Amino acid sequence: KILNVMKARQDKMLSHDEIRAMVTAIGTGIGTEDFDIGKLRYHKIIIMTDADVDGSHIRTLLLTFFFRQMQELITRGHIYVAQPPLYRIRKGKKDYYIKDEKEFLREILRRATENLAVETAPEEGGSPQRLEGAELRNFLVALDEYRHMFERMERRLRDRRAVAVIADPALNLDRKGDFGVQQNLEAVRERLTAAGLPAELRCDEEHSSWAAVFRDATQAERVIGVELVSLPEYRRLRALARQIAPYSRPPFQVIKDSSRHTLPGWEQLLDYVKSEGMRDAQVQRYKGLGEMNAEQLWETTMDPEKRTLLQVRLEDAVEAEEIFSTLMGEDVEARRRFIEENALDVRNLDV
């Protein structure tokens, strides 16, 4: 890891071997007085780090260096981030490299649904609905994203039962105006209480709205009120709930060849199909570039004909300056406040 240049004096920075090697290789010099774009020795400068938390930290330190000392390289489009694959799937003697979680999910579901169908429970007075092929894959992709949004909302409300209530598309909870109607929140209160979470109805005079309030396992108050509408994960959860509602009728019958398996809920269905997609295949998740041999690294990450690069762009210099100063600077209080405000949105945490 290189030095955090937001905190280092220039003499200390240039005494650091890795930074000095970069400055020499790039050739432009650094800072406002010594930087000369005419001396640039490479058109593409590519950051290539491991796909783990340490790799993310190193990439952030390098971006901090370029932003603070060679910002013109960013504005002129010379800085790139390599995209090494996250997964390798081997079936037989053939390898498939997968760049991210979304592509991995699509590939696993494609494999699983080649010879698999799902029947939902019948509607009242109706018949079961059969899903297969692209229709089934779209349903399963939506279920997977729904699970992620469900888990993110669970971090806020601290109880799965409460999230299940607010995810019900039958409730009117999509717009701010919906929270101004008392009967809409009364329905939430009744559903929470029925689920084993005794709740009360409160008037929010400041926002001219109503809220349902319950206590989590630690006896802390949790509020289902108008502020939820401003959360992207809440809006996405509601949208996905409406998308999957026509097919989300458990128990599900999974039909493969001549066999049938009964699964009680959507989570079990998703897990079952994923495991089917990985059957008879070896799945490796890469955390470090060192886990690949030289041929694999060339084929997936370095070959100009096949590699994927992300160009680093500076779209809002003021906002970028604020973020770098907050996260990499010396103001500990500002960094603590940022962490507190954004802690619930963390996707990958290394503890």
Side-chain angles (χ1 to χ4, degrees):
K1 293 182 180 179
I2 69 167
L3 285 178
N4 177 2
V5 300
M6 292 290 288
K7 301 178 181 179
R9 299 189 313 272
Q10 186 157 339
D11 59 338
K12 184 178 179 182
M13 180 175 60
L14 291 175
S15 69
H16 192 273
D17 289 343
E18 282 74 17
I19 290 179
R20 194 166 60 249
M22 282 196 301
V23 172
T24 301
I26 294 169
T28 59
I30 61 173
T32 55
E33 296 181 2
D34 298 332
F35 183 86
D36 182 357
I37 192 66
K39 296 180 179 179
L40 179 65
R41 301 170 67 185
Y42 300 95
H43 182 68
K44 284 187 174 71
I45 298 166
I46 303 169
I47 299 172
M48 190 163 70
T49 62
D50 291 348
D52 59 7
V53 174
D54 277 341
S56 297
H57 187 198
I58 293 169
R59 184 168 60 248
T60 301
L61 291 169
L62 288 167
L63 288 171
T64 303
F65 170 74
F66 288 122
F67 178 78
R68 180 59 67 210
Q69 299 295 330
M70 298 179 170
Q71 192 173 121
E72 193 172 344
L73 294 183
I74 299 176
T75 58
R76 287 175 175 263
H78 294 298
I79 306 297
Y80 294 81
V81 176
Q83 297 288 282
L86 195 58
Y87 290 97
R88 183 189 69 177
I89 301 177
R90 168 170 286 179
K91 191 163 186 179
K93 295 183 178 181
K94 193 163 185 180
D95 290 336
Y96 301 87
Y97 293 100
I98 309 294
K99 68 176 183 178
D100 56 30
E101 296 283 359
K102 287 185 178 180
E103 187 180 339
F104 176 72
L105 175 66
R106 287 194 294 268
E107 177 62 19
I108 291 301
L109 295 181
R110 184 194 65 76
R111 291 166 178 264
T113 55
E114 285 177 345
N115 58 350
L116 181 148
V118 172
E119 282 186 0
T120 68
E123 290 186 282
E124 187 174 349
S127 57
Q129 188 168 7
R130 185 183 178 96
L131 300 173
E132 53 190 334
E135 187 178 28
L136 175 57
R137 286 192 292 275
N138 291 338
F139 174 56
L140 293 168
V141 168
L143 278 182
D144 189 72
E145 187 181 356
Y146 179 79
R147 172 186 275 175
H148 288 305
M149 294 302 107
F150 196 100
E151 291 171 350
R152 290 183 68 176
M153 285 306 304
E154 187 179 354
R155 294 182 207 166
R156 293 185 179 274
L157 297 180
R158 301 292 177 171
D159 198 293
R160 292 181 65 81
R161 294 170 292 179
V163 181
V165 169
I166 64 171
D168 185 350
L171 296 175
N172 294 317
L173 297 171
D174 294 297
R175 296 175 294 276
K176 288 185 177 180
D178 294 334
F179 288 83
V181 180
Q182 182 176 353
Q183 66 186 42
N184 290 345
L185 276 297
E186 175 61 27
V188 175
R189 187 199 66 77
E190 291 175 357
R191 293 283 298 276
L192 288 171
T193 302
L197 291 169
E200 62 179 81
L201 198 64
R202 287 187 190 170
C203 179
D204 182 352
E205 295 183 357
E206 180 182 354
H207 299 98
S208 301
S209 63
W210 294 85
V213 183
F214 68 95
R215 292 185 179 274
D216 64 20
T218 67
Q219 295 305 303
E221 282 193 350
R222 300 292 168 183
V223 180
I224 297 176
V226 69
E227 70 281 352
L228 289 179
V229 180
S230 65
L231 301 176
E233 60 265 38
Y234 173 79
R235 297 195 300 271
R236 187 59 182 156
L237 178 74
R238 296 280 301 171
L240 287 164
R242 288 191 294 272
Q243 182 179 337
I244 66 177
Y247 313 112
S248 189
R249 296 198 304 272
F252 298 99
Q253 293 286 325
V254 178
I255 305 158
K256 184 177 180 181
D257 300 326
S258 58
S259 64
R260 281 178 172 260
H261 297 276
T262 302
L263 300 170
W266 63 267
E267 290 182 287
Q268 292 84 0
L269 171 65
L270 190 57
D271 290 339
Y272 179 89
V273 176
K274 282 184 176 182
S275 66
E276 283 295 308
M278 290 187 283
R279 185 186 295 275
D280 301 325
Q282 296 178 336
V283 178
Q284 180 179 4
R285 189 184 193 282
Y286 293 113
K287 294 191 90 177
L289 298 169
E291 294 178 17
M292 302 181 198
N293 60 38
E295 291 77 14
Q296 290 172 335
L297 191 59
W298 168 258
E299 180 183 354
T300 64
T301 311
M302 302 188 74
D303 183 353
E305 298 298 321
K306 298 179 181 179
R307 69 189 180 192
T308 300
L309 300 177
L310 293 180
Q311 188 179 52
V312 179
R313 297 176 181 171
L314 184 57
E315 296 180 348
D316 188 327
V318 174
E319 184 179 3
E321 175 68 41
E322 181 180 348
I323 289 293
F324 274 112
S325 298
T326 299
L327 298 183
M328 308 301 288
E330 297 187 10
D331 190 341
V332 177
E333 178 60 29
R335 184 157 50 251
R336 182 185 67 81
R337 188 163 55 249
F338 180 93
I339 291 170
E340 288 178 347
E341 292 173 354
N342 294 277
L344 293 177
D345 295 323
V346 173
R347 299 290 295 273
N348 299 301
L349 184 64
D350 188 32
V351 294

